[in-house]
Amino acid sequence: MLLALREVIRAKARFALLSGAVGLLVFLIVFQQALFGGLITSFIGAVENQDAPILVFNDQARSNVEGSFLLPAQAEAISRVDGVADSRLIGQNTFTVATASAPEDAVLFGYTLGELGEPRTLRDGRLPLGPNEAVASAADADKGFDIGDTIEILGDDGPTVTIVGLGEDLRWSVAPTLFVSYETFEAAQAAVNPDATVVLPSLVAVRPADGVDIDTLTDTIDAQVDGVEALTNAEAVAQNPGVQGVSSSITIILALAFVVVILVVGFFFLILTVQKAKPLTLLRAIGSPSSYLVRNLIVQIAVVMTAGIVIGVGSALLVAAVSPTGDVPIEVEVGSVITTVVALFVLAMIGGAVSIRRVLRIDPIRATADSGRTL
Amino acid sequence: MTALVLDGVRKVYPSGDDEIVAVHTADLAVGDDEILALVGPSGSGKTTLLSIAGGLLAPTAGAVRVGSTDISGFNQKQLTGFRASSVGFVFQAVNLVPFLTARENLLVVAEMTGQPKGPARRRADQLLDELGLTHRTKNLPAQLSGGERQRVAIGRALMNEPGLVLFDEPTSALDTSLGEQVMGLIRDEVKGRGTAAVIVTHDTRMTEFADRTVSIIDGYLAA
Ligand SMILES: Nc1ncnc2c1ncn2[C@@H]1O[C@H](COP(=O)(O)OP(=O)(O)O)[C@@H](O)[C@H]1O
Ligand SMILES: [Mg+2]
């Protein structure tokens, strides 16, 4: 690829500028995806990182944990569905709590200790072993939710819990989140709602029997129990109303960035192709197949995209590595980076299509024109 | 044997409702190692005739044979392959790729048709040596003088070992002494290879380098 690579070498500044521009766009795309990933995790980490493969919601809740409650009869019916190996109650609510520093809103997830609904990402300390113990998300350790800190749930005779462990990515709705025993959750509910006679669970956590497919089991539960909607863990995450809202706006932003990549690459190579129309015509006239010129154009696009992607992904990783682990963590996911890179290559080729078309349409006879004296 | 035969070649360009006859029924034969000068004033049809002989332009009527190949019925793809393998061109205006060095301008001829690199390099170096460009091989066209650029163009035209080389006003951008120098080189290179050449010029002083001169006026050939 003499032609393609020599031109890049002889016009370094131009190609470096384009690669830099592509790099900037790639950085924006990858970094936004990483921020988005972190934001999503802060929204739904508590559900994503608990160990129940299936969560059953009230079917009126539209996948919203806050809007879901189940009656004892429903919980009982779920436990008797064929293929359910185990089912446990999960209680969830937001409470005002007193930390060492200030009152704050915190989310409680109550589960049966040692059973379904337990956090899977414990990093320091241990899981709760009895009532009034809690695991918190490591992201909130600095805010009065570190191991050894005590938290009082405000209300009428609210329970006080001590943090005994910290886990990764256990937040819910970007708020401090505590995993406590189901009894502690019931006590907290009673404290804020002293007149209520019963405390209802928000969800039922389900583990399928060996060899039972989880997608099949969710269908079975929906069919056999009235008024419930069983979701796999992944579905519960994806269908969360908060996640869906953020998803649609980030999709628009990313789509725009991808369109800009097509336009930038497309215009650059179009200008370049128009500028070198004469030498390209010369080569066609002396017998170069169009395919040779098109191949060289594609090589140049690939060179620019590779450089841009190295610059963009490299700086995104760098920034992600040095940025402080603030409220919203930055998560660069290998899978989405690979998808992005493949998409960028395809889009760059689409942008280059206009130039390819121009090369294919060169009329070699124009090389015989005597306009101009440049050799 | 003849390197080029034009048999009743005619070229008509449409021009609005009218038409321009650029070449009137032309018959021409160029011998195997003959250098033919084609002389005529501007607009007389020289470039048109040369383009037809080189497979760049299809004649309105008539037959074109180059070596033993009749290219009259060739399609675009066949013509492209024919130009790559059988003809050398030096055009009037653009002859070099500006971002390739002198040597690379020769090498690209071999690369574009997928020929092996080793022999191509040897051939390019030999041609550049013969053309007195050994010290200029790494220079870009913009760094070369007009005469040097024209010499690189001659080398490029000879890279594919053509049986017929076509030159369109190769000295028009050069002063007389440089022009004669370049013509001398063309003659040496072409004669040294036993190749045929057609050299278009409107400068009758250059015809002394040719074996035979044919003139063309208003599209009519005259010996
Ligand atoms: N593509 C074209 N369309 C219409 N007329 C053309 C075209 N190319 C050349 N001509 C006309 O044909 C005649 C011969 O042109 P050309 O072969 O370029 O002459 P020369 O090379 O001797 O100057 C001129 O009258 C020119 O205007
Ligand atoms: Mg001409």
Side-chain angles (χ1 to χ4, degrees):
Chain A
M1 294 293 107
L2 187 77
L3 203 59
L5 301 180
R6 294 304 139 138
E7 187 183 11
V8 173
I9 291 168
R10 309 259 144 80
K12 278 188 212 77
R14 265 182 204 199
F15 281 91
L17 267 176
L18 177 65
S19 300
V22 170
L24 189 63
L25 288 164
V26 173
F27 170 79
L28 286 175
I29 291 169
V30 173
F31 198 71
Q32 273 170 354
Q33 283 175 335
L35 269 178
F36 174 55
L39 189 61
I40 292 295
T41 303
S42 289
F43 259 103
I44 47 68
V47 163
E48 190 173 30
N49 293 317
Q50 56 79 39
D51 70 356
I54 293 174
L55 295 169
V56 185
F57 290 67
N58 185 312
D59 72 354
Q60 301 297 303
R62 276 181 272 136
S63 317
N64 187 359
V65 178
E66 279 73 17
S68 179
F69 64 88
L70 294 172
L71 300 171
Q74 288 174 313
E76 172 68 21
I78 292 165
S79 71
R80 278 190 278 103
V81 171
D82 235 17
V84 172
D86 191 12
S87 71
R88 304 280 170 169
L89 306 182
I90 304 279
Q92 185 272 5
N93 205 354
T94 303
F95 299 89
T96 305
V97 301
T99 66
S101 44
E104 186 152 4
D105 279 347
V107 178
L108 257 60
F109 273 85
Y111 71 103
T112 311
L113 298 186
E115 304 292 344
L116 285 174
E118 194 167 71
R120 293 186 286 116
T121 53
L122 191 72
R123 189 185 77 185
D124 296 319
R126 57 172 175 80
L127 292 169
L129 293 174
N132 304 326
E133 290 188 345
V135 162
S137 189
D140 298 307
D142 295 342
K143 289 197 249 157
F145 295 88
D146 207 346
I147 292 176
D149 289 342
T150 54
I151 316 290
E152 188 197 347
I153 285 97
L154 298 180
D156 193 358
D157 214 6
T160 296
V161 297
T162 304
I163 310 246
V164 296
L166 294 176
E168 298 287 2
D169 300 330
L170 290 180
R171 281 173 149 196
W172 183 256
S173 290
V174 206
T177 301
L178 301 171
F179 279 80
V180 296
S181 72
Y182 194 77
E183 294 72 33
T184 309
F185 167 76
E186 284 179 316
Q189 285 286 66
V192 292
N193 217 344
D195 299 333
T197 50
V198 285
V199 173
L200 294 175
S202 309
L203 312 169
V204 169
V206 169
R207 181 163 52 80
D210 285 347
V212 175
D213 176 62
I214 58 169
D215 291 311
T216 318
L217 186 53
T218 54
D219 291 345
T220 316
I221 294 170
D222 291 352
Q224 294 187 8
V225 183
D226 279 344
V228 304
E229 184 185 22
L231 299 175
T232 64
N233 189 319
E235 286 168 346
V237 166
Q239 294 177 26
N240 180 278
V243 171
Q244 285 193 327
V246 183
S247 281
S248 54
S249 25
I250 200 82
T251 305
I252 292 168
I253 293 170
L254 288 176
L256 282 175
F258 280 114
V259 168
V260 173
V261 171
I262 304 185
L263 293 179
V264 166
V265 173
F267 275 119
F268 178 87
F269 281 100
L270 185 59
I271 290 168
L272 218 62
T273 305
V274 169
Q275 279 182 345
K276 61 178 183 205
K278 283 183 178 175
L280 292 177
T281 308
L282 167 76
L283 291 171
R284 287 286 287 116
I286 64 171
S288 163
S290 310
S291 60
Y292 172 73
L293 302 180
V294 169
R295 257 190 345 261
N296 277 279
L297 181 59
I298 289 174
V299 166
Q300 284 187 340
I301 296 175
V303 166
V304 164
M305 292 312 291
T306 305
I309 285 164
V310 168
I311 294 169
V313 174
S315 38
L317 290 176
L318 202 72
V319 172
V322 301
S323 65
T325 44
D327 247 12
V328 175
I330 297 159
E331 289 181 357
V332 181
E333 270 184 58
V334 179
S336 68
V337 170
I338 289 171
T339 314
T340 303
V341 165
V342 172
L344 283 168
F345 263 96
V346 172
L347 293 178
M349 293 302 160
I350 292 172
V354 192
S355 307
I356 292 172
R357 211 174 93 106
R358 257 197 114 85
V359 168
L360 291 175
R361 292 182 150 208
I362 289 172
D363 187 358
I365 187 62
R366 297 191 66 86
T368 62
D370 56 4
S371 58
R373 280 277 170 260
T374 38
L375 293 173
Chain B
M1 267 298 281
T2 44
L4 170 68
V5 175
L6 301 183
D7 186 7
V9 164
R10 187 179 158 80
K11 183 65 190 182
V12 179
Y13 291 112
S15 168
D17 291 341
D18 227 7
E19 48 186 34
I20 297 169
V21 184
V23 176
H24 292 271
T25 321
D27 297 300
L28 182 70
V30 182
D32 246 355
D33 56 355
E34 190 182 16
I35 299 181
L36 179 87
L38 186 62
V39 191
S42 185
S44 57
K46 305 183 297 294
T47 299
T48 303
L49 202 65
L50 209 63
S51 306
I52 291 169
L56 271 169
L57 194 62
T60 314
V64 183
R65 213 185 70 218
V66 177
S68 52
T69 318
D70 186 345
I71 62 166
S72 309
F74 275 19
N75 63 25
Q76 287 303 321
K77 199 174 168 187
Q78 289 171 311
L79 285 174
T80 301
F82 161 77
R83 293 196 303 270
S85 64
S86 311
V87 198
F89 287 99
V90 174
F91 297 105
Q92 225 171 322
V94 180
N95 273 302
L96 301 177
V97 180
F99 50 81
L100 296 181
T101 64
R103 187 167 183 261
E104 289 160 358
N105 263 287
L106 269 59
L107 292 176
V108 76
V109 174
E111 195 199 60
M112 70 192 190
T113 49
Q115 283 171 37
K117 286 198 167 73
R121 286 195 188 118
R122 281 194 291 281
R123 183 164 175 79
D125 290 337
Q126 195 202 325
L127 279 166
L128 290 165
D129 182 39
E130 288 170 15
L131 292 161
L133 291 165
T134 314
H135 60 301
R136 293 304 219 174
T137 56
K138 290 199 171 86
N139 286 105
L140 294 173
Q143 300 164 324
L144 301 173
S145 71
E148 285 170 336
R149 283 201 286 260
Q150 207 59 327
R151 282 189 269 158
V152 177
I154 294 165
R156 198 221 64 230
L158 293 168
M159 250 320 262
N160 58 345
E161 308 188 44
L164 173 68
V165 196
L166 306 170
F167 297 89
D168 197 355
E169 313 222 7
T171 62
S172 63
L174 308 173
D175 62 34
T176 306
S177 73
L178 255 179
E180 286 176 348
Q181 208 181 312
V182 165
M183 286 298 284
L185 261 172
I186 290 175
R187 190 178 167 86
D188 292 349
E189 288 296 317
V190 171
K191 284 295 170 195
R193 289 179 163 70
T195 310
V198 176
I199 305 173
V200 161
T201 178
H202 58 249
D203 185 348
T204 44
R205 282 168 303 173
M206 299 302 168
T207 56
E208 64 186 77
F209 294 92
D211 301 323
R212 180 160 65 104
T213 301
V214 169
S215 57
I216 179 169
I217 295 170
D218 289 342
Y220 290 97
L221 281 182

